[in-house]
Amino acid sequence: MLKSDMTEGTNSALQQLDYHDAFNNAVTLPGVDPDRMVYCGTSFSGGNVIHAAATDKHIKAAIAQALSVSGETRSLEFKDQIHELFNNRARIATSGQRDRVLCITSTAEEAQTGTAPVLFSDLHAYESYSQIPDCGGKWGNYVTEQTQLHMLWFEPQAYMYRIAPKSFFMVIPGNDVMVKTSSQAEAFGKARELKQMLFLKGAGHFDIYQGGWFERNIRVQVEFLRRCLTE
């Protein structure tokens, strides 16, 4: 199972190629069956999985959870900044200076308003990202401004139908405010068979990584893998 996630300078096109390169390396390792490879991704990298799985005919199946489905939809939250994002790109070309944008707000009070000029402005994101240090993770609260620009061109839902006939499993949190639940459900409808969906009613975008939501999520994913990899 190959997995990636968002980094400081997110470039979706390069990350999609990373999946292919990881596959090419993995199949050279002892004990790896090239006919039982699965691409897996979550959130932004869930969208990368859609692109990668749609074009790579080597893999057996794909799993995407709480996935970012549309750069067009996501960019509505920072539509007033788009002009400056292109100006920033021009400055990079001449001076190499890369501006940054915060991922989450500095305080819970700011997050409660949901209007701060950050990448993820909602309280659920603030509470979830704030737990990273407690897990031993090293993380800086920023991405480059060009990450936002790359989001404009990121449109995984346009590739959903091309995953078939490979098996596809999608996890949709029922109370996702970061990537709206309705947009994920609409994208799933564009996928063709063979496909399976796990709808976690009441779960938020980050709830699927811990506790009871995680246990249920992983249990069904494991069942999916056992079935599709033995067919």
Side-chain angles (χ1 to χ4, degrees), residues 31-45:
V32 174
D33 185 346
D35 296 322
R36 302 179 67 204
M37 301 290 285
V38 178
Y39 284 161
C40 177
T42 188
S43 195
F44 196 89
S45 71

Side-chain angles (χ1 to χ4, degrees), residues 16-143:
Q16 291 146 29
L17 289 174
D18 284 344
Y19 273 94
H20 304 314
D21 293 337
F23 175 94
N24 292 335
N25 179 71
V27 295
T28 67
L29 302 176
V32 174
D33 185 346
D35 296 322
R36 302 179 67 204
M37 301 290 285
V38 178
Y39 284 161
C40 177
T42 188
S43 195
F44 196 89
S45 71
N48 285 331
V49 160
I50 303 304
H51 279 273
T55 55
D56 191 343
K57 304 306 179 183
H58 295 92
I59 64 168
K60 181 71 173 179
I63 297 174
Q65 56 180 21
L67 68 148
S68 178
V69 296
S70 171
E72 178 183 11
T73 301
R74 185 74 179 87
S75 66
L76 293 176
E77 296 189 20
F78 54 87
K79 61 181 184 300
D80 296 335
Q81 305 171 40
I82 292 175
H83 181 72
E84 180 55 30
L85 293 178
F86 279 98
N87 288 340
N88 175 250
R89 190 169 184 83
R91 289 194 296 273
I92 291 172
T94 57
S95 67
Q97 178 183 346
R98 296 179 180 272
D99 294 334
R100 296 174 175 179
V101 59
L102 294 179
C103 291
I104 59 173
T105 60
S106 300
T107 66
E109 289 72 24
E110 290 180 279
Q112 285 178 328
T113 68
T115 59
V118 297
L119 197 63
F120 308 123
S121 60
D122 62 279
L123 182 61
H124 186 51
Y126 173 84
E127 294 173 339
S128 300
Y129 272 80
S130 297
Q131 295 177 28
I132 293 177
D134 297 335
C135 300
K138 295 181 179 180
W139 170 73
N141 182 26
Y142 64 87
V143 294

